[in-house]
Amino acid sequence: MGNGNCKLIIHGGAGRLEGKVATKEQYRIGLQEAIHPAYETLLEQGARAAVLHAIRLLESDQIFNAGTGSKLQRDGRVRMSAALMDSKDGIFSGVINIYDVEHPISIADELRGEVHHLLSGSEATEFARRKGFPFHDPITMSRFIEYRKALRNREKFGTVGAVALDAKGVVCAGTSTGGIGNETPGRVSDSASVAGTYADMVGGVSCTGKGEHIINQAVAAQVIYRLRDGVPLKKILIDLMKEGASRDHEFGLISLDRKGRFGVRSTKASISVLYALKDQEHQLDFTNGGKNLIL
Ligand code: ASP
């Protein structure tokens, strides 16, 4: 494989469910500002570095519900979750309900080298401190105001994610989220589970939408195991989304298969995934790529 096969797709959450922090155009610009530098990283350093780069940029952009700008939970605190996995070593690592750090995805990455690959809550934050990640307050004014109106704003989600395929054929997927907003403290998101994030040598997936629904269907892992069975990505996504719609589930995903096909799909027309993708031939985003894209 050469650089011509490199593919990157990123997402910034589930469309109308994002809340009112930014306009559609601002989300588009935010995604564009992440995909171009991360694509350069993909060419130079490979899939994992590209996924980390894209997600760190999105975590730093306050309009996205991940890292700085994460939604507040019912008790007024921000707890974030992030995970990543690549086909090189097949290790899923992540943090659940971590707080006071700038880049949850970096801590998830750091955990790849540990005995235990998933940590939660205060122990995850303590681990980050031991590894030299400083205190960072991720609460922004817009999210605080949104929180104050939280009862009216329920059921609005948001997340960021990235899936990359590099010149060596390595696939990596990562997801980072501030959760659904106004949730009960202690709730566990799908993002740092194999339902929300999964990758192996046949493909990678990052989900967004209602975590409970994503977990009910074990979405990301299902996509990968069906790919392993030789089912085409398009058919997998159509079937899974049909099943989701029939259960009134609300979620979407971005995906890539080993052959380099991109897939973006959601369970309902009203949920459009905010995404951007790039390879040698294509450069698309949710404003010009259509809602349910499969290339
Ligand atoms: N899936 C995330 C969660 O349930 C939220 C989102 O993707 O918008 O925590």
Side-chain angles (χ1 to χ4, degrees):
M1 280 198 162
N3 269 356
N5 296 304
C6 291
K7 312 256 173 190
L8 176 64
I9 182 162
I10 64 176
H11 76 78
R16 75 171 164 87
L17 304 169
E18 284 311 301
K20 295 209 167 59
V21 177
T23 63
K24 203 171 165 185
E25 180 57 11
Q26 285 170 317
Y27 284 121
R28 196 186 69 79
I29 292 169
L31 289 171
Q32 290 300 331
E33 284 176 351
I35 196 149
H36 297 300
Y39 187 74
E40 290 308 308
T41 302
L42 176 64
L43 300 183
E44 287 159 19
Q45 297 171 49
R48 191 175 185 97
V51 165
L52 284 166
H53 191 184
I55 294 182
R56 280 186 198 122
L57 288 169
L58 296 168
E59 285 177 337
S60 292
D61 188 332
Q62 301 192 2
I63 64 173
F64 295 105
N65 176 25
T68 306
S70 286
K71 294 188 179 196
L72 281 66
Q73 300 194 337
R74 191 164 300 163
D75 61 355
R77 297 191 63 184
V78 163
R79 296 178 186 82
M80 302 164 286
S81 297
L84 82 164
M85 182 173 191
D86 72 42
S87 61
K88 210 165 160 186
D89 57 17
I91 294 176
F92 180 97
S93 61
V95 286
I96 296 167
N97 290 331
I98 195 169
Y99 48 86
D100 295 341
V101 295
E102 188 172 9
H103 292 297
I105 198 71
S106 301
I107 327 294
D109 180 47
E110 189 77 35
L111 278 161
R112 171 165 75 164
E114 299 295 315
V115 178
H116 305 303
H117 302 303
L118 264 177
L119 282 181
S120 68
S122 56
E123 286 78 7
T125 307
E126 279 163 25
F127 170 80
R129 296 288 178 270
R130 278 203 303 282
K131 291 290 172 181
F133 294 93
F135 172 88
H136 175 81
D137 180 1
I139 299 181
T140 60
M141 188 51 80
S142 320
R143 290 299 185 194
F144 185 69
I145 293 167
E146 181 185 76
Y147 166 68
R148 298 286 295 269
K149 296 176 187 161
L151 284 179
R152 266 181 288 150
N153 269 344
R154 288 185 76 171
E155 301 286 305
K156 302 262 177 22
F157 325 132
T159 285
V160 304
V163 186
L165 169 68
D166 68 22
K168 292 186 177 142
V170 176
V171 184
C172 182
T175 314
S176 180
T177 189
I180 52 173
N182 197 31
E183 65 264 66
T184 306
R187 171 192 184 258
V188 174
S189 155
D190 64 290
S191 301
S193 81
V194 297
T197 308
Y198 206 81
D200 78 0
M201 73 284 186
V202 295
V205 182
S206 169
C207 297
T208 180
K210 194 160 187 178
E212 286 73 5
H213 294 171
I214 295 167
I215 289 169
N216 287 345
Q217 281 185 245
V219 177
Q222 282 246 33
V223 173
I224 298 305
Y225 279 86
R226 290 189 198 184
L227 276 175
R228 280 194 188 188
D229 289 342
V231 183
L233 181 61
K234 187 171 182 175
K235 178 168 168 41
I236 296 170
L237 298 192
I238 290 172
D239 290 351
L240 268 175
M241 297 304 152
K242 245 191 222 160
E243 187 192 327
S246 72
R247 298 170 73 177
D248 207 22
H249 282 171
E250 293 190 306
F251 63 81
L253 58 79
I254 57 168
S255 55
L256 260 183
D257 71 12
R258 176 77 201 269
K259 293 176 190 142
R261 277 187 211 95
F262 293 102
V264 181
R265 226 168 165 101
S266 57
T267 53
K268 295 183 179 179
S270 56
I271 301 173
S272 45
V273 179
L274 304 174
Y275 72 91
L277 64 83
K278 188 166 171 165
D279 65 9
Q280 222 169 36
E281 291 159 52
H282 310 95
Q283 211 171 289
L284 292 177
D285 62 50
F286 65 98
T287 59
N288 61 13
K291 272 185 193 156
N292 286 327
L293 167 116
I294 302 185
L295 287 176

